[in-house]
Amino acid sequence: MDPSTAVSTSAVISLFGFAVLIFLLLFLIAKWKWHVFFALLVPIMLFGILPGVQLNNFIDAFESGFGNTLGGIGVVIVLGSIIAEALKHTGAIQVITGSMVNLVGSKRMPLALTLTGFIIGIAIFSDVAYVILNPLVHSSARAMGVGIAVMSTGLVGALQLTHAIVPPTPGPLAAAAIVGADIGKTIIFGSIACLIGSLSCWAWGVYVAGPRIKTEGSEEFSGIGFKEDEGRKLPSTLSSYMPIVIPIFLIGTQSVVSLTFEDGTLIRTIFSYLGWPVISLSIGVWLAYRNISNTEDRTNARDKWVEDGLRTSAMILVVTGLGGSLSAILRGTPAVEFIATAFTDYGLPTILLPFVLGIIGNMITGSTTVGVITAASLSAPMLGTLGLSPEAAMLSGASGSVIIKYVNSSYFWICTSLTKLSVSDAVFSYGGATFV
């Protein structure tokens, strides 16, 4: 650490400030219910007035951390949110669900819904996706004669997993930017982990939690299917998948090409551009907009969908920027190196540190997004000492941020209220699935 740019050279003061900052952050969110923006900003500002903190270096670290983080990922987060709006309004979600039913069969609807959650959770916030699919969950439960927990648990878990772990969903995209992870590698390895986790959630719902919960699907949704959408002409199956699959393919291919072809070759140059997330997700927006089938949606797509996407991404953007500021400030102190060294000296697996940070962030705040960004912000300055790759740290923290969804989570309450489960049954079913 260069003393000329260090925020603080005192290990004692830095450790004290680090501990107070984390405590205050979690306290303001959990106890006083502050918005995460102010809950992050206020502790960071208070860190700057600690004795021994070099104010000019502190301000430089804050500004450079904020700007550098958003500079690499800000536009991408907005584009991802606009794709989500388009998928929601064009009926692509219903088509994807129908394709999964055709793939596994109508008698395996819980599995079909789980696989649907695995796919659309990559592009759409989990709570929004569940609200859209809830009528189908109820009608399918009644048609198959099974409890609502059997039908919904895999979907609830799968939506949460890919929402937390796989870019280009804003939370993991922000975390990848903070730790400097390769987005393509994160998508590839995160998707594998989420598929295994999603199937585990399905098994928990079908074989463990579901049979023990007797709540049935609501009669008001009887007969509802996935091939109707208020008279709107639905897109084809291929067109529905392309806004999600093509950007992921381009970004993932860019990472593979960069490892297998030398710099300067034509194919590497082509995919370096096409696999740049700004280009990949811009193509995704274009593909999503091609599914518009009526005049009203065409009008909304030019203005309202963009505004809604900006509104959705605004919180993620400012929290991501503050997370970058926090990482830059902590990187300029001896605190993070001390913590990382202590962790390794005790012989603990270093991969557990971001995982535990993700768990703590989620358990206390109830927000997966806050959990994954907090884990990334705190672990990013320690990567060198911990010996972790940015991708491993990001995926570890994101995985921890899923454990465990319970009564302090808005997503938990959305799913619980819509399925009409009791709180205890929902904790066992949905909390158990996210724990598994």
Side-chain angles (χ1 to χ4, degrees):
M1 184 173 60
D2 185 355
S4 64
T5 59
V7 173
S8 174
T9 56
S10 170
V12 174
I13 291 176
S14 299
L15 285 169
F16 173 77
F18 180 88
V20 172
L21 187 152
I22 301 305
F23 171 79
L24 189 57
L25 164 65
L26 300 175
F27 179 82
L28 291 175
I29 295 175
K31 183 67 175 178
W32 286 0
K33 310 300 180 185
W34 281 24
H35 190 280
V36 66
F37 171 71
F38 283 114
L40 262 172
L41 180 61
V42 170
I44 290 174
M45 291 192 300
L46 292 177
F47 191 95
I49 63 174
L50 289 174
V53 170
Q54 303 298 316
L55 188 56
N56 288 336
N57 293 342
F58 171 83
I59 294 173
D60 288 342
F62 180 95
E63 294 177 348
S64 63
F66 194 98
N68 291 341
T69 303
L70 286 187
I73 214 70
V75 173
V76 180
I77 290 176
V78 174
L79 290 172
S81 297
I82 295 173
I83 290 175
E85 288 296 318
L87 292 174
K88 180 172 65 175
H89 291 292
T90 58
I93 293 176
Q94 289 91 324
V95 175
I96 291 172
T97 305
S99 71
M100 288 299 171
V101 174
N102 293 334
L103 177 65
V104 303
S106 58
K107 294 183 179 180
R108 299 185 180 90
M109 275 298 293
L111 179 59
L113 287 170
T114 299
L115 295 176
T116 299
F118 169 75
I119 296 294
I120 66 176
I122 296 173
I124 296 182
F125 281 95
S126 51
D127 49 358
V128 174
Y130 190 85
V131 169
I132 293 172
L133 291 173
N134 178 63
L136 180 59
V137 172
H138 281 274
S139 63
S140 299
R142 292 193 66 83
M144 288 186 62
V146 298
I148 196 71
V150 171
M151 194 61 63
S152 63
T153 301
L155 172 63
V156 171
L159 284 170
Q160 188 65 193
L161 281 168
T162 47
H163 170 74
I165 297 174
V166 183
T169 305
L173 198 60
I178 291 171
V179 300
D182 181 279
I183 295 176
K185 293 179 182 177
T186 304
I187 289 174
I188 293 170
F189 294 118
S191 297
I192 295 171
C194 284
L195 180 58
I196 296 171
S198 296
L199 293 175
S200 299
C201 291
W202 163 76
W204 174 265
V206 171
Y207 299 111
V208 181
R212 292 169 171 79
I213 298 173
K214 304 305 180 184
T215 304
E216 298 179 350
S218 175
E219 290 185 8
E220 65 180 299
F221 298 113
S222 294
I224 290 179
F226 47 79
K227 294 185 178 179
E228 300 176 0
D229 188 27
E230 299 177 354
R232 178 186 285 113
K233 180 183 177 183
L234 296 179
S236 68
T237 300
L238 180 62
S239 297
S240 299
Y241 275 97
M242 285 177 68
I244 302 173
V245 174
I246 295 301
I248 290 174
F249 170 78
L250 291 174
I251 295 171
T253 302
Q254 186 273 333
S255 296
V256 174
V257 167
S258 67
L259 295 174
T260 54
F261 291 87
E262 294 183 2
D263 193 16
T265 57
L266 179 60
I267 189 170
R268 181 162 178 173
T269 301
I270 291 172
F271 276 99
S272 292
Y273 182 71
L274 294 178
W276 178 33
V278 173
I279 297 298
S280 299
L281 270 78
S282 294
I283 293 173
V285 171
W286 173 69
L287 291 170
Y289 273 38
R290 289 183 73 240
N291 291 332
I292 297 173
S293 61
N294 60 53
T295 303
E296 181 183 356
D297 283 347
R298 205 173 301 279
T299 301
N300 289 336
R302 290 195 296 266
D303 187 24
K304 187 176 184 301
W305 293 2
V306 177
E307 288 185 356
D308 289 345
L310 288 168
R311 191 176 297 110
T312 299
S313 57
M315 189 274 284
I316 306 295
L317 288 171
V318 294
V319 172
T320 300
L322 288 176
S325 296
L326 177 59
S327 288
I329 291 167
L330 295 178
R331 194 177 289 115
T333 73
V336 290
E337 185 174 351
F338 180 88
I339 294 170
T341 301
F343 205 84
T344 55
D345 286 347
Y346 278 103
L348 298 173
T350 55
I351 194 72
L352 287 179
L353 182 55
F355 183 75
V356 171
L357 290 173
I359 292 175
I360 294 172
N362 172 59
M363 290 286 286
I364 292 179
T365 68
S367 169
T368 296
T369 300
V370 173
V372 66
I373 292 177
T374 300
S377 302
L378 298 179
S379 59
M382 309 181 195
L383 295 184
T385 306
L386 292 173
L388 290 176
S389 69
E391 294 77 24
M394 180 267 157
L395 291 173
S396 175
S399 299
S401 71
V402 178
I403 302 174
I404 179 175
K405 285 297 159 187
Y406 69 122
V407 294
N408 69 337
S409 166
S410 61
Y411 179 60
F412 171 89
W413 285 113
I414 287 172
C415 296
T416 300
S417 61
L418 291 178
T419 55
K420 302 181 180 180
L421 291 179
S422 67
V423 173
S424 59
D425 285 345
V427 170
F428 179 60
S429 182
Y430 303 150
T434 53
F435 180 78
V436 170

